[in-house]
Amino acid sequence: MANDRSYPARPFLGVSALVLHNGHVLLAQRGNPPAIGVWSLPGGAVETGEALSASIKRELMEEAGLQIDPLYVADLVEILRHDASGRCERHFVIAVFFCTVRDADGMLPPVVAGDDAMDVRWVSPDALSDYALTDGTLAVIEKILSGTRMLT
């Protein structure tokens, strides 16, 4: 099914967040195509005129009801998909922020799915394999948590 981001004239800029708190990462279950029902890091598209750090704060509030502090861009991820004829069907460049929860104690703060997320939840890194994750999400999480930086 085509949408306004299929077969783009230019790449779309997005943000996502690896939010780490009390040894857990925050996952969001996608509520819209593509990959509806699949789990990923929360995030979304950057709006025109919006700073990247403002964008990720807005997205986490919209998707999880969570106030976060973005510490730094931990990775850049490019999603580039071509159809059978070789045309560019999707092209996203995503700045993945490493974030902490604002004003949180040691407990996991409650999160509530909103906006385009079907569900959001805190997950132990050891349990990530129990979730159907979008392509590349597990590798990004593992790379950031291990502190390595790979250029691909």
Side-chain angles (χ1 to χ4, degrees):
M1 171 168 32
N3 62 33
D4 64 340
R5 295 182 185 164
S6 294
Y7 298 97
R10 59 171 177 74
F12 283 92
L13 178 60
V15 291
S16 68
L18 192 154
V19 184
L20 183 65
H21 188 72
N22 198 20
H24 291 73
V25 297
L26 186 66
L27 291 182
Q29 188 177 32
R30 296 182 54 84
N32 294 318
I36 189 168
V38 181
W39 294 85
S40 190
L41 296 174
V46 177
E47 296 177 359
T48 301
E50 184 178 46
L52 294 176
S53 60
S55 180
I56 196 59
K57 288 178 183 180
R58 174 184 53 76
E59 286 289 345
L60 266 288
M61 181 55 69
E62 290 174 1
E63 287 193 6
L66 191 63
Q67 290 188 342
I68 52 100
D69 288 316
L71 301 182
Y72 55 89
V73 174
D75 204 2
L76 287 175
V77 175
E78 186 173 37
I79 298 172
L80 190 56
R81 303 277 190 268
H82 292 88
D83 66 16
S85 69
R87 288 181 56 215
C88 182
E89 184 175 5
R90 296 201 175 273
H91 193 175
F92 294 91
V93 177
I94 302 170
V96 184
F97 280 86
F98 182 80
C99 304
T100 58
V101 178
R102 180 174 294 167
D103 300 328
D105 56 21
M107 303 298 290
L108 290 173
V111 289
V112 177
D115 195 30
D116 60 353
M118 291 173 61
D119 193 5
V120 287
R121 63 179 67 160
W122 293 104
V123 177
S124 167
D126 295 339
L128 289 170
S129 61
D130 296 339
Y131 290 80
L133 298 171
T134 55
D135 289 344
T137 296
L138 183 59
V140 168
I141 293 170
E142 289 174 341
K143 181 181 5 174
I144 294 171
L145 291 181
S146 73
T148 63
R149 177 83 176 124
M150 297 183 337
L151 297 176
T152 56

